[in-house]
Amino acid sequence: MRIVTIVGARPQFIKAATVSRVLRKQHTEILIHTGQHYDYNMSEVFFKQLELPQPDYNLGIVSKTHGSQTGRMLESIEKVLIKEKPHRVLVYGDTNSTLAGALAAAKLHIPVAHVEAGLRSFNRSMPEEINRILTDHTADLLFAPTKVATENLCREGIPQERIHLVGDVMYDATLFYNEKAHRESRILNLLGLDPKSYILVTIHRAENTDDSSRLRAIVEGLSKVAKDIPIIFPIHPRTRKALESYGYLAEAEVCLRLIEPVGYLDMVMLEKNARLIATDSGGVQKEAFFNKVTCVTLRSETEWVELVKTNWNYLVYPLSGDNVAREVYVALSAPPGLEINLYGDGRSVGKIVRKIAI
C-alpha cells in the first residue's frame, strides 16, 4: 500500500517515528511535513534523534491564524495527494495539520486513518477540540488509545466497525526510546540537576498563552513555588512571545529557569527525573504517568480523564497566582497515584499497522 503520513507538530513527530519504523517494513510511506513547527528545536532535532525519515514534502506553512494556516495546508496537501495517489492518509492527534490532512483526503475520496481518535475535552473553545471532532467524523479507521475514547466515539454515532481500541502509541514510544535517552542525553549534567530536585514546566496552549490573566497567574504561582524548589521551563516560542508582549518575561526570567525547547530524548530525561511536572500539554500528561511522576495540568479540563481519576494528574484552573501555588504544593505532597495500566501493552503500533493493511 501507498500511505501518506501527515505531521506538523512535535508530538506528531514522536508518534510518526514510532509507527513509521514498523509501517515502512510492509508499505510505502510518503511523509508530508506541513511546517507547523519549523525551527530546529521544535522540528529538525526530532527527526534526527528519533531517526524519523526526512519528509518527502516540506510545505513550509508556518504560524498563521487558525483559518489561514489550515486553509493553506489544505490546498498544499491536496496537490501532493493528487500527485502521489495514495491508498490511505494517516494523521495524528489534534493539530491544524491533522484536520487539513483529513479534509484534503476526504474531499479526494481517499480513506483516512486517525491515530489518537476519540479524545474529548468537551470544551469547544479549544481549537484542538474542533480539530479532533471533525477528523474523527472524517476518518474511516479510528485508532483509540483508551476505553474512554472509544465510548466518546460511540456516543457520537460513529459506527463500531470503524473504531479500534489499540492503546497509546506514546507508550510504545516511551518504552522504545527510554534506553536511548539514558544512553545519549546529557541534559541533567548540562543543567546541573539532581534527580527529583526540580519541577518541570511546559506551557504552550492558546487558552493560556492568549489570555494575559491566566498566563499572569501561572507565572506568579510558579514564581512563588520556585522559592522552595527550582523550576525548569523549556519555553515554547509562542509562550516566550506572549510573556514578552504582556510584560511578564522579565519576572519569569528572574524566578524561573527558562531554557530553549529541548529534543525528545532530553525531554524524556527531564520528565523521568522531575519531582513534579506542571503542564498544559496532553502528551506531557501521559509521559508523566509513564514515568510515574505526578502531574499538575494548568487547564480547566483534560482529555486524559483517567489520569485524574487515578490521582496521577491534578487539574488546576489558573485563576490566580495564589491558587496555582497552593495546588502545586498540594500535588507535591500527595502520594503517588494508583498502580494501574491505562494505555495498553506497548504494542499499539503493531495493531495499527495490521489494521491499516486490511
Side-chain angles (χ1 to χ4, degrees), residues 38-58:
Y38 53 89
D39 68 18
Y40 180 83
N41 287 330
M42 300 293 291
S43 178
E44 183 64 24
V45 67
F46 283 78
F47 282 80
K48 289 184 176 180
Q49 289 186 349
L50 304 181
E51 299 174 357
L52 180 62
Q54 286 298 306
D56 298 283
Y57 297 89
N58 194 324

Side-chain angles (χ1 to χ4, degrees), residues 269-270 303:
M269 292 304 291
L270 287 172
E303 306 76 30

Side-chain angles (χ1 to χ4, degrees), residues 2-231:
R2 288 172 61 79
I3 297 169
V4 164
T5 293
I6 297 169
V7 297
R10 55 189 287 175
Q12 294 167 332
F13 306 149
I14 300 165
K15 295 165 195 166
T18 308
V19 173
S20 292
R21 191 176 63 252
V22 178
L23 185 69
R24 290 187 176 223
K25 293 177 182 178
Q26 303 175 35
H27 304 288
T28 299
E29 182 183 41
I30 299 103
L31 185 63
I32 300 175
H33 182 353
T34 64
Q36 186 170 340
H37 283 174
Y38 53 89
D39 68 18
Y40 180 83
N41 287 330
M42 300 293 291
S43 178
E44 183 64 24
V45 67
F46 283 78
F47 282 80
K48 289 184 176 180
Q49 289 186 349
L50 304 181
E51 299 174 357
L52 180 62
Q54 286 298 306
D56 298 283
Y57 297 89
N58 194 324
L59 306 181
I61 301 170
V62 299
S63 298
K64 300 283 182 182
T65 63
H66 284 287
S68 174
Q69 185 181 67
T70 307
R72 291 181 64 207
M73 288 177 181
L74 178 58
E75 180 181 18
S76 297
I77 291 169
E78 181 183 63
K79 291 177 182 177
V80 176
L81 297 182
I82 290 171
K83 176 183 175 183
E84 293 290 347
K85 298 180 173 57
H87 298 100
R88 180 176 293 283
V89 166
L90 178 60
V91 296
Y92 294 87
D94 57 15
T95 69
N96 291 340
S97 301
T98 310
L99 178 59
L103 288 176
K107 289 177 179 293
L108 293 171
H109 308 292
I110 300 169
V112 176
H114 183 203
V115 174
E116 213 172 70
L119 301 185
R120 298 293 182 268
S121 68
F122 302 101
N123 177 3
R124 292 208 175 194
S125 67
M126 291 175 57
E128 296 88 351
E129 183 78 350
I130 302 303
N131 291 344
R132 293 178 196 125
I133 293 169
L134 295 177
T135 300
D136 283 339
H137 285 265
T138 299
D140 71 297
L141 275 180
L142 296 103
F143 295 120
T146 64
K147 185 179 178 182
V148 171
T150 65
E151 291 169 351
N152 290 337
L153 294 169
C154 289
R155 274 197 302 270
E156 292 176 13
I158 292 175
Q160 189 90 38
E161 61 269 20
R162 295 185 185 179
I163 305 167
H164 303 279
L165 176 58
V166 296
D168 199 307
V169 168
M170 292 297 289
Y171 185 40
D172 292 36
T174 297
L175 295 176
F176 185 82
Y177 289 110
N178 261 2
E179 183 180 342
K180 184 177 174 69
H182 276 284
R183 189 170 62 248
E184 297 185 13
S185 174
R186 301 289 180 268
I187 192 69
L188 296 185
N189 288 336
L190 287 172
L191 297 178
L193 298 173
D194 294 322
K196 306 303 177 184
S197 69
Y198 60 90
I199 293 173
L200 177 66
V201 171
T202 75
I203 299 293
H204 76 280
R205 285 192 181 268
E207 63 202 82
N208 285 326
T209 61
D210 295 355
D211 186 320
S212 63
S213 63
R214 288 178 65 146
L215 196 56
R216 179 70 185 174
I218 290 169
V219 170
E220 285 187 351
L222 294 177
S223 296
K224 292 175 186 290
V225 177
K227 295 175 182 177
D228 295 317
I229 180 170
I231 291 180

Side-chain angles (χ1 to χ4, degrees), residues 190-193 230-234 252-259:
L190 287 172
L191 297 178
L193 298 173
I231 291 180
I232 308 301
F233 191 169
E253 288 177 328
V254 168
C255 300
L256 313 176
R257 190 166 178 185
L258 305 187
I259 63 174

